[in-house]
Amino acid sequence: MDYRNLGASGLRVPVLSFGAGTFGGSGPLFGAWGNTDAKEARRLVDICLEAGVNLFDTADVYSAGASEEVLGQAIRGRRDAVLISTKTALPMGEGPLDWGTSRARLIRATEDALRRLGTDYIDLLQLHAFDASTPVEEVLSTLDGLVAAGKIRYVGVSNFAGWELMKSLAAAERHGYPRYVAHQVYYSLAGRDYEWELMPLGADQGVGALVWSPLAWGRLTGKIRRGQPLPEASRLHETAQYGPPVDDEKLFDIVEVLDAIAGETDRTVPQIAINWLLNRPTVSSVIIGARNEEQLRQNLGAVGWRLSGEQIERLDAISAVTAPYPYFPYRRQEGFARLNPPIV
């Protein structure tokens, strides 16, 4: 397993990390992902640690806290061997203090997460969404206090727009608060919007990407093909409406190229899709998930080898889409492109 610094921080993370969204799954979304219990979770954690994957990502909203509880049980007795990443901000109830990132909410949410995880510190706390109702200075000063108290060690965000992240980074710089070092983002061969603004921002500001849903919400598993019905066992039947949109024809084109490269490399479609991401700028770690040992071992096979330059070019070409305004001139017109050369 290779390790990379998380953004501009000194925290070294594995290039693959494990997403615990399947732990304790319940409800229409997380129940469809999986319902791994503590015993099964401990086995999956064992396999991850044997492979060098020591970063485990969860969130308070995953199955109303059950994911954090099961993860805490699975790592019991080996806390020093793992890195825990969790997220907060999304609603956990109907009350006024059950959502957002106000001072009261952040302190309470952190204490609740620590209790569920069975630990006295969180390695990386990420804000699951931008809270427009709370001043960024209030958010950052609260995080600063939690870091000073030893309850969290690094801070990051997830699903922020470019201006939201840059506003927060500027405020942190101005007041001397901890800077966000991670941005958990959706990025895949079937969804490359991250590249338009958030990737250049991350490169400029030292914010590393933690990639969620690298298989495009289960669409790049190798089981979805042009002209064939959706597999009966696919979770997309229940969860498609919750995930990022994907153009079907574009998806089928991408899968056909993935199939061809799979035949050339003796690798699986998911392994190739994940490996492609590991070559992209600013990516610190790709979060993989698994409902069982077989799926986990297959996803772990995405590392330890490299796609050829020619194969990467084919994947780049088939998955490329026209960026919206104001980004497309910088890719199409020479004068614009000279001012902002591509990130490599």
Side-chain angles (χ1 to χ4, degrees), residues 97 116 122 125 155 215 228 233 248 251 278 296 301 317:
L97 295 182
R116 287 190 291 260
I122 294 166
L125 180 69
V155 293
L215 301 181
Q228 298 182 16
D248 285 344
L251 173 69
L278 296 176
L296 176 55

Side-chain angles (χ1 to χ4, degrees), residues 79-80 114-115 117-122 149-153:
R79 177 64 181 93
D80 291 344
L114 290 169
R115 173 180 48 80
L117 289 162
T119 183
D120 56 3
Y121 69 96
I122 294 166
K151 296 179 185 293
I152 58 178
R153 295 188 171 174

Side-chain angles (χ1 to χ4, degrees), residues 227-296:
Q228 298 182 16
L230 194 65
E232 187 174 332
S234 174
R235 72 184 189 194
L236 286 168
H237 291 289
E238 291 81 27
T239 66
Q241 70 270 28
Y242 300 111
V246 175
D247 178 81
D248 285 344
E249 289 305 310
K250 189 70 174 179
L251 173 69
F252 297 143
D253 291 343
I254 294 168
V255 169
E256 287 171 359
V257 175
L258 285 167
D259 274 333
I261 295 175
E264 298 164 8
T265 60
D266 197 28
R267 302 287 177 176
T268 67
V269 165
Q271 288 170 348
I272 295 166
I274 294 170
N275 190 274
W276 177 84
L277 284 167
L278 296 176
N279 293 287
R280 309 304 293 171
T282 74
V283 171
S284 295
S285 186
V286 174
I287 302 170
I288 58 173
R291 285 182 285 186
N292 53 54
E293 181 176 338
E294 180 184 356
Q295 288 181 347
L296 176 55

Side-chain angles (χ1 to χ4, degrees), residues 61-89:
V61 76
Y62 292 173
S63 299
S67 173
E68 290 180 328
E69 291 176 351
V70 172
L71 177 59
Q73 295 170 43
I75 64 170
R76 187 172 297 160
R78 45 186 171 175
R79 177 64 181 93
D80 291 344
V82 304
L83 299 171
I84 295 176
S85 162
T86 193
K87 301 179 288 294
T88 191

Side-chain angles (χ1 to χ4, degrees), residues 66-338:
S67 173
E68 290 180 328
E69 291 176 351
V70 172
L71 177 59
Q73 295 170 43
I75 64 170
R76 187 172 297 160
R78 45 186 171 175
R79 177 64 181 93
D80 291 344
V82 304
L83 299 171
I84 295 176
S85 162
T86 193
K87 301 179 288 294
T88 191
L90 296 178
M92 288 287 287
E94 299 300 324
L97 295 182
D98 291 333
W99 58 273
T101 56
S102 68
R103 185 182 309 279
R105 160 69 167 152
L106 271 179
I107 293 173
R108 174 181 164 190
T110 300
E111 295 290 353
D112 287 346
L114 290 169
R115 173 180 48 80
R116 287 190 291 260
L117 289 162
T119 183
D120 56 3
Y121 69 96
I122 294 166
D123 296 283
L124 174 65
L125 180 69
Q126 297 159 99
L127 308 184
H128 215 157
F130 183 73
D131 177 6
S133 66
T134 301
V136 295
E137 290 81 5
E138 178 179 337
V139 176
L140 291 164
S141 66
T142 305
L143 293 173
D144 184 44
L146 290 168
V147 171
K151 296 179 185 293
I152 58 178
R153 295 188 171 174
Y154 292 90
V155 293
V157 299
S158 181
N159 304 318
F160 272 38
W163 74 266
E164 295 165 346
L165 178 54
M166 194 63 239
K167 180 178 181 178
S168 301
L169 292 171
E173 187 78 18
R174 186 164 60 249
H175 298 289
Y177 296 140
R179 287 171 55 89
Y180 297 134
V181 298
H183 192 183
Q184 192 166 144
V185 298
Y186 169 60
Y187 188 25
S188 77
L189 275 165
R192 295 177 58 180
D193 294 359
Y194 168 70
E195 298 174 2
W196 298 337
E197 179 170 285
L198 295 174
M199 178 184 283
L201 191 162
D204 180 70
Q205 293 294 312
V207 181
L210 297 175
V211 176
W212 62 264
S213 203
L215 301 181
W217 208 251
R219 293 178 173 89
L220 297 178
T221 60
K223 299 176 182 178
I224 299 176
R225 297 286 196 281
R226 192 190 308 271
Q228 298 182 16
L230 194 65
E232 187 174 332
S234 174
R235 72 184 189 194
L236 286 168
H237 291 289
E238 291 81 27
T239 66
Q241 70 270 28
Y242 300 111
V246 175
D247 178 81
D248 285 344
E249 289 305 310
K250 189 70 174 179
L251 173 69
F252 297 143
D253 291 343
I254 294 168
V255 169
E256 287 171 359
V257 175
L258 285 167
D259 274 333
I261 295 175
E264 298 164 8
T265 60
D266 197 28
R267 302 287 177 176
T268 67
V269 165
Q271 288 170 348
I272 295 166
I274 294 170
N275 190 274
W276 177 84
L277 284 167
L278 296 176
N279 293 287
R280 309 304 293 171
T282 74
V283 171
S284 295
S285 186
V286 174
I287 302 170
I288 58 173
R291 285 182 285 186
N292 53 54
E293 181 176 338
E294 180 184 356
Q295 288 181 347
L296 176 55
R297 291 193 184 278
Q298 181 181 111
N299 287 337
L300 289 172
V303 299
W305 57 280
R306 292 183 63 86
L307 292 162
S308 71
E310 185 271 339
Q311 290 166 339
I312 291 174
E313 288 177 0
R314 285 155 59 193
L315 290 169
D316 289 351
I318 199 62
S319 62
V321 295
T322 300
Y325 176 82
Y327 309 107
F328 73 81
Y330 292 90
R331 300 196 175 200
R332 287 186 171 185
Q333 300 177 28
E334 181 181 351
F336 283 82
R338 187 177 302 169

